[in-house]
Every structure is written in C-alpha cells, then in structure tokens.
Amino acid sequence: MHKQKLLSNLGKIGAAFRVLIDDSREEPPRLEEVFSGASKVEFIGRNVLTKVLAAHDGKRWPVYNAKVEGVLRKYGYEIPRGLTDAEKYFAYAKLMREFAKKAGARDVYALDRFREFSAVS
C-alpha cells in the first residue's frame, strides 16, 4: 500500500527533493516546507529526507534516523523540546558540524563510523 502511494507521488517526491537541496533558499524555511509544510510527501520522513541532504552535501548534513537517535541518547543528547521536526534536525546538524570540526573529521559523514561503533559497544 505505501509503495503504491509513493509510486503515484513520484512527481511530488521529486519536487520535494528539489526544494530540500535548493541551496539558494534559506535553510530552516526550506527544511520546514519539506518536513511538514506544503512540500511534505506522505510516507517520506526524517530518515529519507536526511539521507537526501547527506547525499547532497555530506559536509553540512548528517543522517538522522532511529539508530542515530539511539546512539545520541546513549551519550546524553537531549532532543530539544518545543521545536518542529525541521528545527530539531537543523539544531542536530549544527551540533554535528561543530563536533566534526572539533574532532578533526573531514565532514559530518565521517561521524557515521563513530556512531556505528557506539551502537554496538
């Protein structure tokens, strides 16, 4: 059922992804538009959206999914309250860019190995 709905919305999905990676637009508003606004596509959530952003620009945008969230909780990261999903992701991405810089990582994508190791230890 979800597959059929997604297939019937390919045009809308493409349009949403174009909005998501449009670097000419301000970041929080464009994220908001795709995460929960006019460009939101049913059954396309944070996991897929952040993977698209990471593929688009791995220096700026980390993946954020349930696995990552679990590792972050393990290290005491508290998800900000009172923010939209897009604002929460934007805050997380900013934090991860700062962490990558302090850790000497070449980009936020390099942090995935750290999170994978942390998930099993």
Side-chain angles (χ1 to χ4, degrees):
M1 169 126 163
H2 298 314
K3 185 177 178 180
Q4 284 298 89
K5 282 201 172 217
L6 287 173
L7 289 174
S8 68
N9 281 320
L10 287 178
K12 189 172 181 182
I13 292 169
F17 288 176
R18 283 189 292 281
V19 169
L20 196 60
I21 65 169
D22 183 357
D23 293 330
S24 71
R25 296 183 56 189
E26 287 187 52
E27 291 168 347
R30 83 172 194 246
L31 295 178
E32 197 67 52
E33 181 178 331
V34 178
F35 274 64
S36 61
S39 294
K40 177 159 179 48
V41 178
E42 189 177 13
F43 304 117
I44 301 284
R46 174 183 69 184
N47 180 39
V48 171
L49 297 175
T50 64
K51 284 179 180 175
V52 169
L53 283 167
H56 171 64
D57 187 351
K59 293 190 183 309
R60 289 197 51 75
W61 303 112
V63 170
Y64 190 83
N65 55 28
K67 184 176 180 180
V68 170
E69 187 174 317
V71 171
L72 291 172
R73 285 184 195 275
K74 183 177 173 181
Y75 283 95
Y77 178 75
E78 293 188 26
I79 299 169
R81 294 175 180 245
L83 301 177
T84 66
D85 288 341
E87 291 168 332
K88 288 176 187 178
Y89 174 70
F90 190 74
Y92 159 75
K94 183 179 176 186
L95 178 69
M96 290 298 101
R97 286 192 295 269
E98 292 168 5
F99 179 69
K101 185 176 180 180
K102 288 179 183 176
R106 66 185 183 281
D107 52 36
V108 293
Y109 184 71
L111 300 177
D112 279 354
R113 301 306 298 161
F114 169 75
R115 286 190 294 261
E116 284 179 22
F117 174 76
S118 297
V120 296
S121 48

